[in-house]
Amino acid sequence: MRVARLLLRRCLSTSSFDPRNAIHEKNSSINAFVHISDCPPTIEAETSSQSACSKPLQWTTVAVKDNICTSDMPTTCSSAMLENFTSPFDATVVKLLKRAGADIVGKTNCDEFGMGSLNTHSIHGPVINPFQTLRSAASVSWRNREKRTAGGSSGGSAAAVAADMCDIALATDTGGSIRLPASYCGVVGLKPSYGLISRWGVVSYADSLDCVGLMAKSTFQVRRAFDVLETPDPNDPTSVSKRLREATAGVLREFSPLKRRSPFEDSQLRVGVPQEYFAQELSPSIYNSVRTILKALKDLGAQIIPVSLPSTSYALSAYYVLASAEASSNLARYDGIEYGTRIPLPPGSDSRKASKVYSHTRTQCFGDEVRKRLLLGTYALTADAFDNYFLQAQKVRQLVRNDFDRVFRWPNLRTAEGLSSSSLSAEGVDVLIHPSAIRTAPLLPRETASTATKSSMDPLDTYLQDVLTVPASLAGLPALNIPVPTIQDDNVSADSDQDGWPVGVSIVGQWGCDRLVMDLGMVVEVAMLSSNTQ
Amino acid sequence: MARLFSDAWQVVIGIETHVQLKCRQKLFSRATNGLLSDSPNSRYNVFDAAFPGTLPKLNPKCVDLAVRAALALNCNLKPRSNFDRKHYFYPDQPVGYQITQYYSPFALDGTLTLPKLGRRVRIKQIQLEQDTGKSVFDYKTQSTLVDLNRAGAGLIEIVTEPDLRSTEEAAEYVRSLQTLLRSMGVSDGNMEAGSLRCDINVSLNRHGEPLGTRCEIKNINSVRFMVAGIQHEIERQKSILCAPSPMQVSQETRGFDEHRWETYTIRSKEDAPDYRYMPDPNLGTLTLDENTIEHVRNRLPPTPEATRNRLINTYGPRGVSEDSIDVLMGLDSSLDVPFDGGTISNHESHSTNSVAYFDTLCKGRDPREVINWITQTLLGLLSTMGKSFSTSYLATSQMGTLIDLVSNGEMTRSSGRLLLRHILLHSPSPDTSIRRLAKDLDLISIGPTDHADEICRRAIEALPSEVAAIRSGNKNVLNRLIGWVVRETKGKADVQKTRSRLEDLISKM
């Protein structure tokens, strides 16, 4: 009940004042927003009208990641290439939000074209993680607090939610770009099943992996927006058909182990714990958080089952080959000819070849990380490398999918269409649970430059982080990050890694099981709340 | 010379033809396809201009036309094929890649038989792909202008095996392909307008030896240029191979200089770009199930070959010559190909094709009469008026009435011609009654007996000395009496009937 009341209050909290004042105020220290919209005049007018109340997202403030096109605000993708670019059209997701009555308050910071894990590769500067530890909150002024990353690439969206600058944030996730910042900032983040939410108007990084997802303080809020956005879009060729959506919903209705009233009584929720996700690099605090959640679920009657996903170790390299290859293709359009920034050649240089004009603009306007991935991707697609890199990576991707299909008791309705929904297999699990990140949010590079903790910025280390999020991306599965309340246990020694910063746990389901994953997310939230209040 | 040469060397030619599909909309966007008359950059949308966040959406009409082409070329259709991205930077390619079918084209292993030379050319594959925009160099400003009207238009590329052995065969291949694709409604096939363009691969080898190194002549846009280009390429390669110290032909891509009628090097094999082909992650698999293929097959217009055979088998025994059938079929070559595989239906009388027009008119009529009216009278009158041929000037029912009036003897052939000329000049509405028009113009023949006899009698009275000459055996003079009658009746009198009537009257005197 308490949760419900809490949620209700949150839903209605934004109706009485313009949230933009608070956004402006907070943004100067967090840098979550890169553009804040004007207050829509319709809000005042509509609050009184009856029909407005029927809109599902009325009075809800929503922030939109800056790689999602909006016709009334710039869409920069945090790149100098699109610094002054405003799209002539709204992305389908933006249109759906507007139609549902949402108040789109602005565009959020991100890594350039979604490439990065720390939200430091941005022309708008890094996002500062707004989280306040119990230790720092009261005594230390903002200016003097340690500045940690919000994670990337959707760092702005995560920080905006964490700092109460909006109710819900739209973000994108290609290899973990929602789940990682959600974990670092302590918010809920959903990367839905591939194909459920339209990508029309979402600036492509790697088409076969890109997903639009949602962030909020609670799974309930995420779910509200998901219900608005989960609809077929004829403009997106990868958008799943109405027929398949209905079939999936039917299977879920029939077999969901989470019956509304008594979640675990008559059904055995089977929770898988993939052993490959508990690597050496995992810090003990992360390990403990997962244990907390698993214990809570076990207490509720769920079965905890260790499972193995043997292809996990290959997933990361496959991901970087595929994502970079697709990026090198998708970003080829930024040449400064039709739109975007164009850096004129210095006077006197040879402009007869178009390639000179292009390379000049592209070299100047793309940031380091983007340039690095474009070169890697370009190489992976060359005739000599294609078989060894791109094709191999495609094969690994299939192995990763097979791994998941083997451990889940749910059929993969996307790849095994027409499969009868007569029963679930007795073996296998309903969901997987694993840590979302190998550690808490690292310090921002500026603060670490001269110290020994420099390793937090080691590129290989940031890639290693992706081990935990990339497999679900390769397989197109729904994955939800749930923040685990920080254990303020006096018995825990002042261990260096028990820093009080947020830690998240991922719930991963079979393709199409997004609502099952969210249902479980809500169960976990309630369990955590009640365990906290005990 | 050519013969001597071909004794020693074998010319091997393969052709890749890019054919623009006759669709209203582009291959992956809903923008209208640009026409030559459109002003630059007026026919594209955000997808064609590669705006961020746009995604392709396959136009099923393009697939239908591509399948038509594949069926007409007897190809095997693959139930599953894929789209790939071919990457290169070029101003008229705003997205940085062309979507094509590199790894798995939708159609394989077809044939096209050249009707005149009788050779069977194997088709290696057909793939669906996008056209590029156009770059126009402006000499005044020394800059390149880009027109996106054509960007993203649907193309098929038809690739032959190296089966052609002479310029004549190459020319006939392209012409037959053109005719076939036009009659299938696949494309305008207009080389001048760029809706059909060829890349020609040419190599020479001695008979019995393996194929020589080939050179590719890019972007040929007329059969004339193609013949000249191949000829020049043969001479050029021969001069390399037959040099006092023979050298190898180096593999390269060449262009054709339309002013000097020569080919020239564009780039050598070493400079060939790496297109970094990648499966398109958005479009997924193009599936062609049996139902789709059957649907297209059932609506497939007959090939020109089949139409010709049918016309010969149906109308040949009833006295229609093959020549006039060829003339009839030739009349359709200038017709506009309808969009999206639409049929030129009869109710749209303004665009009926001649064969259908002929078929309809032949119902219940002598086909010899009908074909003469179309290919001689109608075609002749139109050409003297300087108008191009079309069946749109009068509906089949009107043309039918006209032919009937003449066949029944209600109107003379020359009156019929006069009436047709009147119609062509004044284009009356399609529901005008031809019979009434003929009456109004006083073109209906004079009655069979009374009135005709009376005029003949007057002729005999008016020309007594001619009658005397006839009676004394000079039969030729009869023509003067006939001429008098025709003049008097303003051509309405039937010449044959008047002759026999006059002979009858004079013999009874």
Side-chain angles (χ1 to χ4, degrees), chain B residues 9-293:
Chain B
W9 293 97
Q10 173 171 252
V11 178
V12 176
I13 302 166
I15 301 183
E16 295 164 20
T17 312
H18 296 265
V19 180
Q20 228 172 59
L21 297 170
K22 184 79 178 190
C23 285
R24 268 190 209 288
Q25 293 168 318
K26 297 188 175 183
L27 181 54
F28 296 118
S29 85
R30 291 297 168 266
T32 313
N33 268 319
L35 305 172
L36 287 179
S37 53
D38 290 326
S39 56
N41 294 312
S42 61
R43 292 282 182 266
Y44 72 95
N45 68 13
V46 283
F47 173 79
D48 306 315
F51 268 70
T54 56
L55 296 166
K57 181 177 175 183
L58 182 61
N59 179 353
K61 299 267 170 60
C62 290
V63 177
D64 279 4
L65 289 192
V67 169
R68 270 194 189 190
L71 290 172
L73 289 166
N74 310 301
C75 289
N76 286 330
L77 284 157
K78 294 222 307 198
R80 296 167 69 84
S81 60
N82 292 294
F83 291 100
D84 306 298
R85 295 179 180 179
K86 175 184 181 178
H87 296 92
Y88 59 93
F89 288 102
Y90 207 72
D92 56 26
Q93 176 80 282
V95 76
Y97 54 81
Q98 173 197 31
I99 302 179
T100 176
Q101 296 192 299
Y102 175 74
Y103 291 110
S104 67
F106 78 98
L108 297 170
D109 305 326
T111 53
L112 176 67
T113 304
L114 308 185
K116 294 206 183 85
L117 298 169
R119 183 183 269 283
R120 217 172 69 118
V121 181
R122 289 172 300 157
I123 306 295
K124 186 180 173 212
Q125 65 181 59
I126 309 179
Q127 69 240 21
L128 253 174
E129 60 187 31
Q130 294 174 300
D131 210 340
T132 59
K134 273 183 194 157
S135 298
V136 185
F137 189 72
D138 185 343
Y139 284 91
K140 255 187 248 160
T141 60
Q142 286 289 301
S143 56
T144 301
L145 302 172
V146 177
D147 176 7
L148 294 180
N149 282 1
R150 202 181 65 182
L155 292 180
I156 48 174
E157 181 176 339
I158 302 169
V159 184
T160 72
E161 297 283 359
D163 282 358
L164 297 157
R165 293 291 175 271
S166 64
T167 48
E168 291 79 10
E169 288 184 2
E172 199 192 342
Y173 168 75
V174 173
R175 288 206 182 95
S176 338
L177 187 66
Q178 220 173 355
T179 314
L180 179 70
L181 295 174
R182 282 182 50 80
S183 63
M184 292 292 109
V186 171
S187 171
D188 281 336
N190 187 336
M191 291 189 88
E192 281 70 33
S195 55
L196 192 148
R197 321 189 282 272
C198 295
D199 300 341
I200 322 277
N201 284 285
V202 184
S203 73
L204 299 187
N205 64 299
R206 288 193 191 274
H207 281 283
E209 287 181 6
L211 297 183
T213 308
R214 66 193 161 87
C215 284
E216 184 182 30
I217 318 170
K218 275 265 179 219
N219 246 330
I220 299 281
N221 61 1
S222 89
V223 174
R224 244 161 23 106
F225 293 156
M226 182 183 78
V227 168
I230 296 173
Q231 228 129 37
H232 178 264
E233 198 48 31
I234 292 172
E235 294 304 322
R236 189 186 70 86
Q237 293 185 19
K238 193 183 79 173
S239 70
I240 295 171
L241 296 166
C242 297
S245 50
M247 292 181 296
Q248 289 292 312
V249 172
S250 55
Q251 186 177 335
E252 52 185 30
T253 302
R254 302 179 67 84
F256 180 73
D257 185 323
E258 295 168 13
H259 303 291
R260 300 168 57 191
W261 285 65
E262 285 177 5
T263 65
Y264 60 92
T265 303
I266 294 177
R267 59 173 176 258
S268 67
K269 190 193 175 193
E270 290 73 42
D271 299 332
D274 186 334
Y275 290 120
R276 295 182 286 116
Y277 290 98
M278 180 187 91
D280 187 279
N282 291 316
L283 287 160
T285 305
L286 169 63
T287 53
L288 293 173
D289 54 42
E290 269 310 310
N291 288 342
T292 314
I293 296 170

Side-chain angles (χ1 to χ4, degrees), chain A residues 41-281:
Chain A
T42 47
I43 282 205
E44 296 289 324
E46 278 183 13
T47 39
S48 55
S49 87
Q50 193 80 47
S51 67
C53 299
S54 62
K55 291 184 174 176
L57 294 178
Q58 191 67 36
W59 303 322
T60 308
T61 52
V62 180
V64 176
K65 188 176 176 181
D66 206 27
N67 64 348
I68 298 174
C69 291
T70 44
S71 55
D72 49 1
M73 289 181 273
T75 301
T76 70
C77 298
S78 292
S79 179
M81 192 63 94
L82 293 177
E83 202 172 353
N84 300 306
F85 176 74
T86 299
S87 175
F89 61 94
D90 275 334
T92 300
V93 283
V94 171
K95 240 184 247 170
L96 290 170
L97 286 174
K98 285 182 177 171
R99 199 180 303 158
D103 174 14
I104 296 181
V105 290
K107 303 294 287 283
T108 54
N109 205 340
C110 59
D111 279 305
E112 186 176 5
F113 288 104
M115 298 181 205
S117 303
L118 299 169
N119 211 139
T120 47
H121 303 289
S122 164
I123 44 155
H124 308 292
V127 178
I128 318 290
N129 195 323
F131 184 80
Q132 307 177 27
T133 57
L134 288 179
R135 261 169 291 182
S136 69
S139 51
V140 191
S141 76
W142 175 265
R143 193 179 293 273
N144 295 326
R145 253 182 256 155
E146 60 176 0
K147 293 196 173 46
R148 294 209 183 192
T149 167
S153 66
S154 313
S157 291
V161 167
D164 289 322
M165 297 158 95
C166 61
D167 297 319
I168 297 169
L170 269 190
T172 62
D173 188 315
T174 306
S177 286
I178 285 178
R179 292 158 284 163
L180 182 65
S183 178
Y184 285 173
C185 292
V187 300
V188 175
L190 172 74
K191 181 205 93 73
S193 298
Y194 184 82
L196 288 190
I197 296 186
S198 166
R199 288 189 300 117
W200 172 262
V202 177
V203 180
S204 295
Y205 158 18
D207 293 297
S208 75
L209 297 153
D210 292 344
C211 287
V212 178
L214 296 150
M215 293 178 170
K217 278 267 170 86
S218 69
T219 309
F220 176 80
Q221 287 281 47
V222 166
R223 172 85 182 239
R224 284 177 69 217
F226 179 81
D227 287 342
V228 167
L229 301 180
E230 191 260 305
T231 182
D233 181 9
N235 282 328
D236 176 0
T238 59
S239 176
V240 169
S241 68
K242 189 162 179 264
R243 204 174 52 81
L244 183 50
R245 284 170 204 266
E246 283 167 357
T248 309
V251 173
L252 268 177
R253 255 196 315 276
E254 193 168 349
F255 298 112
S256 173
L258 300 177
K259 305 285 183 210
R260 237 169 236 171
R261 285 174 196 282
S262 50
F264 303 103
E265 265 171 25
D266 51 347
S267 63
Q268 286 289 318
L269 178 78
R270 296 166 63 87
V271 175
V273 181
Q275 59 185 46
E276 289 80 4
Y277 286 59
F278 293 82
Q280 268 188 322
E281 294 84 2

Side-chain angles (χ1 to χ4, degrees), chain B residues 2 35 58 67 186 206 209 257 301 327 332 344 359 366 414 425 428 463:
Chain B
L35 305 172
L58 182 61
V67 169
V186 171
R206 288 193 191 274
E209 287 181 6
D257 185 323
V327 172
D332 286 339
I344 313 173
D359 278 329
D366 179 1
S414 52
L425 283 173
L463 303 166

